[in-house]
Amino acid sequence: MLRPQVTIAPRADGHYDAADLRVACIQALGFVRYVDASQRARQCAGVRFVFPKKDLAGVRLRREGGSEQALPIASGVAFAGDADDDFPVVTWRFGPGSERAQIVTYDAPLAIVPLFE
């Protein structure tokens, strides 16, 4: 069974407004629903930043007011169902009040994968 693999376009400056990531996730979900009707019940839950294996991934969350926190890096798949599961990945989930946050990457991601649940 073929499944669409959708990624959000990386930005050259590495700065992503949380509200823009949510809108991009919703647009990606619209595409996925168009090509796969079984995805109708899914919702956008967040995004997964996937980095090259040889690079050190660095992702920070900037909150309104200027506070920052590093987001944890894990090993994982780029897309659900992939066999290769050792990419450096950073998962960020949408939550209450997250619209005013900004995600900053210090290395260019290979992909920004929308998370549908």
Side-chain angles (χ1 to χ4, degrees), residues 35-68:
V35 297
D36 182 356
S38 71
Q39 302 297 311
R40 296 257 185 244
R42 301 267 187 167
Q43 299 296 320
C44 289
V47 292
R48 178 185 313 116
F49 291 86
V50 181
F51 294 92
K53 291 180 183 182
K54 61 186 174 199
D55 289 349
L56 296 174
V59 179
R60 300 190 66 76
L61 173 64
R62 282 190 187 150
R63 298 190 187 275
E64 187 176 32
S67 68
E68 287 192 11

Side-chain angles (χ1 to χ4, degrees), residues 103-115:
I103 306 296
V104 179
T105 63
Y106 295 105
D107 296 309
L110 290 174
I112 304 170
V113 181
L115 300 176

Side-chain angles (χ1 to χ4, degrees), residues 5 15 18 20 33-35 46 55 58 71-73 79 94 103 115:
Q5 295 180 337
H15 294 147
D20 292 342
R33 286 176 175 166
Y34 177 75
V35 297
D55 289 349
L71 297 177
I73 301 166
F79 296 95
F94 303 130
I103 306 296
L115 300 176

